[in-house]
Amino acid sequence: GRTSRLAIEEARKKVAHLLDCQPSEIFFTSCGTESTNTIFQAAIHSLGCKHIITSPIEHHATLHSAEVLCKQFGIELQFAKHDAAGQIDYNHLEKIIIECSQKGNTFVSIMHANNEIGIVNDIERIGNFCKKEHAYFHSDMVQTVGHFPISLQKLPIDFASASAHKFHGPKGSGALYINKNVSINPYILGGGQERNMRAGTENVAGIVGFAAALNFANAEMETENEQTLQLKNYCLEKLQNAITDLTINGTVKHSLPRVISVLLPINDKSEMLQMSLDIRGIAVSGGSACSSGALGGSHVINTISATPGVPLRISFCKWNTREEVDVFVAALVDILN
Ligand code: PLP
């Protein structure tokens, strides 16, 4: 017991050091989804928020929490607007933050980077604005922890969600950051684990794995970002040369270096596209890679784009190669033709 406890606390210290916050601000959870659910529950039940603001292109962990809880507890739900590239309309967001904050306690949840189209939001700007208007701010940082240098101490945020499997850590291991100045009640009740914030026997291997993977990821993030960006640019160029009527979702500028999102022309092959690529050993996704098996298109693409097409998300890590990109593009062209 003591050995496990020590391992967990060592992991907490390491994670806090890597994310530049205090160990007491880090809580281990089962995944990013649980972290986000915990905070939405807390926003309503601990912080008394009567107004929730989020974006229609958030991950479903956020969207479904917002929709279900707002309906259940009669909370006002507002959505920030986006342009056709998926970029948030900051003026609109700030306008609704002011409107809601004037009416009562407000909770804002905006992700750092979008998992489908890669768009990166300016969470420093959003957090500062929330602070000014006395609104609570949560950011789903599942796509950026382990990929970007992050100082939670310097960022003006109250809560953040992270997940180990996004930086080559074990699946089923997440973390929740709760700023020391905010006090909330736990979502999962039971034993006193995680300093009474998250009951249930800890996933010791998952927690230790979270810290170890984050340590590797932080040390290698600069090289990894450079390598994946080169692959991304190479792949984009090849795709544009090979396929007419290809639409690129998102912007190239404020975007994750490892994610490409495109719309392919619809033809009789496109319905089976993902499966046909899978049979050839190529793993891409139709929308979000984490809604395993979910069908029905992408809520992100459907929100930002009126262009008809088949969404395809291609993502890279440092172990992918140019040769693999060549194989992928050749296979895609072959299948589409
Ligand atoms: N948020 C984002 C942006 C994601 O990409 C994911 C994907 O997994 C999640 C939340 C959910 O995290 P988890 O799979 O750890 O529940």
Side-chain angles (χ1 to χ4, degrees):
R2 275 198 300 274
T3 313
S4 300
R5 183 61 193 267
L6 193 66
I8 293 172
E9 294 316 316
E10 285 303 317
R12 197 186 317 280
K13 268 194 232 156
K14 196 181 280 178
V15 171
H17 170 71
L18 294 166
L19 298 178
D20 194 24
C21 65
Q22 293 181 10
S24 59
E25 295 175 308
I26 295 292
F27 299 89
F28 292 110
T29 64
S30 67
C31 59
T33 300
E34 185 197 314
S35 303
T36 296
N37 272 260
T38 303
I39 289 312
F40 268 83
Q41 292 283 345
I44 294 169
H45 301 305
S46 304
L47 306 173
C49 292
K50 296 272 182 265
H51 311 273
I52 290 185
I53 297 172
T54 187
S55 134
I57 66 169
E58 291 284 314
H59 187 273
H60 279 144
T62 298
L63 268 185
H64 290 173
S65 296
E67 284 160 0
V68 170
L69 291 174
C70 285
K71 200 166 168 200
Q72 197 176 356
F73 296 102
I75 308 281
E76 180 191 20
L77 178 58
Q78 294 249 24
F79 291 103
K81 287 182 182 159
H82 289 266
D83 66 16
Q87 203 104 46
I88 214 158
D89 178 343
Y90 290 98
N91 292 331
H92 175 255
L93 176 64
E94 290 169 3
K95 183 173 156 281
I96 56 177
I97 293 175
I98 294 176
E99 281 168 10
C100 287
S101 303
Q102 281 171 353
K103 288 187 273 185
N105 288 5
T106 298
F107 175 72
V108 180
S109 181
I110 299 288
M111 68 203 324
H112 195 183
N114 187 281
N115 48 308
E116 292 192 36
I117 54 174
I119 285 277
V120 179
N121 293 317
D122 186 349
I123 55 167
E124 196 173 347
R125 173 175 173 171
I126 300 170
N128 276 325
F129 199 82
C130 286
K131 226 176 188 170
K132 192 164 120 297
E133 297 302 322
H134 307 290
Y136 295 101
F137 181 45
H138 162 254
S139 186
D140 171 347
M141 299 179 79
V142 165
Q143 289 289 332
T144 49
V145 164
H147 295 280
F148 289 173
I150 284 164
S151 166
L152 289 170
Q153 195 182 189
K154 293 201 186 109
L155 277 172
I157 65 178
D158 299 303
F159 315 105
S161 306
S163 181
H165 71 103
K166 298 299 175 193
F167 44 86
H168 302 297
K171 284 186 202 288
S173 176
L176 169 62
Y177 162 79
I178 304 177
N179 187 294
K180 59 181 179 305
N181 298 319
V182 193
S183 166
I184 62 165
N185 295 321
Y187 173 39
I188 297 182
L189 303 170
Q193 291 90 349
E194 292 299 284
R195 300 179 323 285
N196 288 321
M197 188 49 72
R198 196 267 181 185
T201 299
E202 303 91 337
N203 173 4
V204 183
I207 291 171
V208 171
F210 187 112
L214 187 59
N215 201 24
F216 282 123
N218 266 32
E220 292 169 7
M221 66 172 64
E222 213 174 306
T223 353
E224 172 146 18
N225 284 340
E226 261 167 44
Q227 284 172 1
T228 51
L229 184 60
Q230 276 179 21
L231 281 179
K232 173 175 171 166
N233 290 337
Y234 179 65
C235 185
L236 271 174
E237 197 184 317
K238 286 208 79 157
L239 284 172
Q240 281 170 312
N241 289 339
I243 301 167
T244 41
D245 299 334
L246 178 93
T247 310
I248 297 166
N249 300 311
T251 66
V252 177
K253 203 169 158 216
H254 302 289
S255 184
L256 292 174
R258 63 185 192 283
V259 172
I260 292 177
S261 168
V262 293
L263 280 176
L264 297 166
I266 300 171
N267 70 18
D268 57 343
K269 309 287 179 352
S270 46
E271 206 176 313
M272 296 296 287
L273 188 62
Q274 238 179 294
M275 199 176 287
S276 311
L277 285 166
D278 188 27
I279 289 165
R280 295 175 189 222
I282 298 163
V284 292
S285 65
S288 161
C290 26
S291 329
S292 349
L295 297 171
S298 150
H299 71 283
V300 176
I301 309 298
N302 293 343
T303 302
I304 63 167
S305 172
T307 315
V310 181
L312 204 63
R313 190 191 96 134
I314 305 126
S315 52
F316 308 98
C317 79
K318 63 186 166 202
W319 292 300
N320 285 122
T321 61
R322 278 179 162 237
E323 290 68 34
E324 285 173 329
V325 173
D326 294 340
V327 171
F328 159 64
V329 177
L332 186 62
V333 171
D334 189 36
I335 293 164
L336 287 176
N337 289 336

